[in-house]
Amino acid sequence: MEPNDTKPILEVKNLHVHYDTGKGPAKAVNDVSFSLRPGERLGLIGESGSGKTTMAMALMRLTKAPGRIASGSVLLDGEDILTMSPRELRAARLRDIALIPQGAMSSLNPVMRLEVQMADAILAHRPEMKKEAVDARIEELLKSVGLTPEVARRFPHELSGGMKQRAVMAIATALTPKVIVADEPTSALDVVVQRQVIQTLGRLQGGLGAAVVLIGHDMGLVAQFADIVGVMYAGKLVEIGPVRAMIEAPKHPYTKLLVDSLPGIKVKQALIGIPGLPPPLVDLPPGCPFNPRCPYVFDRCRSETPEPQTVGPNQLAACHLYPEHAVLPPMPAPSSSGRAPQ
Ligand code: SF4
């Protein structure tokens, strides 16, 4: 990642999103902050339930009850999405920030031809556009995602999974948004189509110069696309940094375990999982939320929540091993000494 002095287009500050339950609030997004500049690609990864999709919905202000945005801000080009009036919000969605949702089939209307759905999206923001101009724009958008113009006449059920996902991308980019939030756009697609969809997203993003937040749980796929990777665990952004540093020199023990769980291409080896389960979000352990599973755990981790701190160029990690250590120490043998790794 090159040093970049451009003003951020998206700034998330101390965002908290809770789901109200009978046992108290489940803190699905817990004090998350990050920023993105125009053209930057952030991949957000983590296990199921780590808060990734809740984050995506909050960025669009689409959080539904029993979820609620408890506090924080989401600044889009300096304007807080969370305090916009309904009218401002309607105008900003699609024009300034667009969502590529999970499950393309459920986000397309099954009884409307694609061209009608695309025209609806365009005309909602540009009612003055003439039919010929709308048709030309639809054709241009379909081509931009690798679909032929005749696809516009089809219903969603006449498209393959990959085609549907491309159609959704075409709609999301209809008004050339500045920020694209892609929430697991490759879920339920086979690996070949997954790669094609990610490549299409990359081409679209490059053409628009938009910033992208790509949500995923496949570290390998996200790393192919992103230039910044953020790792979420139990609602916290536990590490964020340039993709190369995150893969080659992760600083947070959870990131390291995620990277180690990737299958190797050159060396055949048994796949290593991360032992244990994420904690319930209504009952987080005291201290670091990763402490019950962390091979590096020591006494402080069980009582004090680590704050994000700089651990490398443009790299932050929330872990008590720093700043004492410059790099992540070798994985310790299981021990109950309660002392920090040496
Ligand atoms: Fe592990 Fe402690 Fe760091 Fe948490 S703060 S990741 S428990 S070493």
Side-chain angles (χ1 to χ4, degrees), residues 4 41 76 163 208 249 258 295 305 322 335:
N4 186 339
R41 304 169 170 196
L76 178 62
M163 290 167 85
L208 296 172
L258 277 182
T305 307
Y322 309 95
S335 138

Side-chain angles (χ1 to χ4, degrees), residues 110-252:
V111 296
M112 285 167 80
R113 293 185 197 278
L114 197 52
E115 62 187 356
V116 180
Q117 302 187 48
M118 295 179 77
D120 271 359
I122 296 168
L123 290 169
H125 291 262
R126 310 260 162 81
E128 74 289 350
M129 269 178 86
K130 299 269 183 296
K131 184 176 182 315
E132 299 72 40
V134 173
D135 289 346
R137 179 69 181 139
I138 290 172
E139 187 173 328
E140 185 183 23
L141 285 165
L142 289 173
K143 281 187 187 159
S144 75
V145 294
L147 295 174
T148 55
E150 60 83 25
V151 171
R153 297 282 304 149
R154 298 201 202 171
F155 290 96
H157 72 267
E158 296 175 300
L159 309 177
S160 68
M163 290 167 85
K164 278 196 275 278
Q165 194 51 270
R166 286 162 192 257
V168 169
M169 284 186 195
I171 295 173
T173 53
L175 298 173
T176 61
K178 300 169 197 156
V179 176
I180 300 170
V181 180
D183 183 17
E184 303 213 30
T186 57
S187 59
L189 299 176
D190 68 57
V191 285
V192 176
V193 180
Q194 280 183 4
R195 194 173 154 79
Q196 290 167 352
V197 165
I198 290 296
Q199 286 171 340
T200 304
L201 180 61
R203 274 199 305 278
L204 278 178
Q205 180 271 340
L208 296 172
V212 174
V213 180
L214 171 65
I215 311 279
H217 58 261
D218 181 336
M219 179 78 145
L221 195 70
V222 167
Q224 283 174 35
F225 173 84
D227 39 39
I228 305 165
V229 171
V231 175
M232 290 196 70
Y233 184 79
K236 294 263 186 198
L237 185 62
V238 295
E239 185 166 8
I240 184 165
V243 61
R244 196 170 184 135
M246 295 289 282
I247 300 289
E248 292 178 2
K251 297 293 199 305
H252 195 283

Side-chain angles (χ1 to χ4, degrees), residues 238 251-254 287-302 304-306 318-322 328 341:
V238 295
K251 297 293 199 305
H252 195 283
Y254 180 60
C288 171
F290 190 53
N291 88 66
R293 302 171 77 186
C294 182
Y296 294 84
V297 64
F298 56 103
D299 285 347
R300 187 179 170 200
C301 310
R302 299 189 181 96
E304 207 179 307
T305 307
C319 175
H320 291 314
L321 292 172
Y322 309 95
L328 184 63

